[in-house]
Amino acid sequence: MTGLRWGILATGGIAGAFASDLRTAGIDLVAVGSRSQESADAFAARFDIPHAHASYEALVADPDVDIIYVSTPHPMHHRNARLALEHGKHVLVEKAFTLNHAEAEDLQRLAAERGLLVTEAMWTRYLPHMVRVREIIAAGTLGEIRAVSADHTQLLPSDPTHRLNALELGGGALLDLAIYPLSFIWDILGAPTSVHSVARLIETGADAEVATVMTHEGGAVSTSLSSSRAAGPNTAVILGTEARIEIERYWWSPSVVRVIDPQGEVIEEFDGRPASDADGRGMQYEALAAERLVREGLLEGDILPIAESVAIMGTLDEIRRQIGVRYPGEDADNG
């Protein structure tokens, strides 16, 4: 076992994927909390978890739990993460980190006050192929980076009552899909100096497609396209003056990276895909990174500092302002 004792808050699909990867990595998963005992018991039986709680309050009060993974829908992230922090638990919050910038700032402040780790579960940043991408960039192989582009486009359910299309649940392409390319762009180019965005809204008021063009320090540009109504190439490109990086289809999950020179020759290929299903989906890397930070007494990591997650939520707020999307129940001051 790796040291920290994990609890999972909620029992949906993403919680199951995370629990499976924790088990693959030998991480100590000791508790699950749901809004019903039946759901908690079923999840606990599925993943051999010793403690099954019929409420989130019971989970965060469990003295055998050190860190909690929050996997509820977007509008509940702030409330659930805050509950865990108030009970002295470190927290890994599923992306997008919160519903808006104000909620993200509140979690950052509370965690700092309590001396606890709160971090965003943007699993892509921790995957082996993204570790290699940052190494290649740091070595100067690409020269000066001039542009980054990525898409996250999927054919998802069109039912207006589905979570993905319901504004009251934070539905739309932005928080579910666009968070991936936007976080990727931040990772490579840093904060944008300007943001321009367009979108197509559906009957529920949620965004089905959203595209961005941003500029960054030094004049580099980035583009992103996300859609919940059509499947595209789902690739990413980092364009430098000396070479470029191309990341294969489904770039946000374990993938293949190629470094290509201006003449089109492949000068490096890195395959970050797992050798077999026994190696897990890849979500274990973010959990192991969180454990390392806690073990070393750190409240910030260099791969995805909490300040960056908060700032990214500010960019998402600006995109929503431009495309005319507002979630029900947001306070007047919450963007």
Side-chain angles (χ1 to χ4, degrees):
M1 294 301 180
T2 51
L4 291 186
R5 299 167 298 177
W6 285 78
I8 294 182
L9 191 150
T11 56
I14 195 69
F18 186 76
S20 178
D21 278 356
L22 292 192
R23 284 291 182 235
T24 294
I27 294 172
D28 198 1
L29 175 56
V30 302
V32 61
S34 180
R35 290 175 295 179
S36 75
Q37 190 67 60
E38 181 181 11
S39 177
D41 287 343
F43 194 91
R46 179 181 169 195
F47 295 104
D48 192 24
I49 301 170
H51 303 297
H53 298 289
S55 71
Y56 301 153
E57 290 77 10
L59 172 67
V60 300
D62 188 333
D64 291 333
V65 173
D66 302 310
I67 184 168
I68 288 177
Y69 168 65
V70 172
S71 64
T72 44
H74 308 303
M76 293 78 169
H77 286 182
H78 173 252
R79 180 190 326 143
N80 298 151
R82 204 172 210 289
L83 180 69
L85 292 168
E86 288 170 345
H87 283 77
K89 310 301 187 186
H90 303 288
V91 186
L92 176 66
V93 185
E94 185 52 43
K95 70 337 174 179
F97 186 55
T98 53
L99 202 61
N100 54 46
H101 183 261
E103 291 182 351
E105 276 192 321
D106 181 63
L107 293 183
Q108 179 186 26
R109 178 192 56 77
L110 180 59
E113 288 176 357
R114 300 296 176 96
L116 296 167
L117 175 74
V118 63
T119 188
E120 182 182 9
M122 175 46 73
W123 69 304
T124 302
R125 291 220 184 180
Y126 300 91
L127 295 173
H129 76 281
M130 282 306 304
V131 173
R132 183 58 192 147
V133 164
R134 288 189 290 269
E135 291 171 347
I136 292 166
I137 292 171
T141 305
L142 303 188
E144 183 181 3
I145 297 177
R146 302 310 310 148
V148 174
S149 64
D151 79 306
H152 192 171
T153 47
Q154 298 191 44
L155 182 59
L156 299 176
S158 59
D159 180 353
T161 64
H162 193 282
R163 176 189 70 80
L164 291 165
N165 303 309
L167 272 186
E168 65 273 17
L169 294 177
L174 187 67
L175 295 189
D176 268 283
L177 304 177
I179 182 62
Y180 284 92
L182 291 170
S183 185
F184 173 72
I185 289 165
W186 268 77
D187 192 12
I188 306 304
L189 294 177
T193 53
S194 70
V195 178
H196 305 278
S197 52
V198 294
R200 181 178 70 88
L201 307 186
I202 56 174
E203 64 273 16
T204 65
D207 53 296
E209 281 88 32
V210 58
T212 66
V213 177
M214 303 190 293
T215 59
H216 302 262
E217 185 177 352
V221 298
S222 66
T223 60
S224 76
L225 171 64
S226 299
S227 174
S228 61
R229 296 296 175 90
N234 289 300
T235 56
V237 177
I238 305 170
L239 185 62
T241 55
E242 302 298 325
R244 70 182 185 270
I245 285 175
E246 295 183 357
I247 309 178
E248 275 192 358
R249 183 169 174 81
Y250 305 124
W251 63 267
W252 62 84
S253 61
S255 190
V256 175
V257 171
R258 292 185 181 88
V259 184
I260 302 171
D261 71 16
Q263 289 73 46
E265 295 295 322
V266 176
I267 58 178
E268 179 182 336
E269 181 172 292
F270 178 88
D271 191 342
R273 295 171 298 185
S276 70
D277 291 343
D279 294 324
R281 180 172 181 256
M283 299 179 79
Q284 68 270 26
Y285 296 111
E286 63 187 356
L288 291 168
E291 291 206 350
R292 178 182 59 81
L293 293 174
V294 172
R295 189 165 56 246
E296 295 176 2
L298 301 174
L299 301 184
E300 291 271 1
D302 57 350
I303 292 178
L304 183 54
I306 183 60
E308 188 168 324
S309 291
V310 172
I312 290 171
M313 291 311 307
T315 297
L316 298 186
D317 281 1
E318 173 58 21
I319 292 169
R320 286 200 293 123
R321 186 192 69 78
Q322 293 183 16
I323 66 177
V325 170
R326 187 173 183 82
Y327 303 122
E330 284 188 288
D331 295 333
D333 294 334
N334 278 8

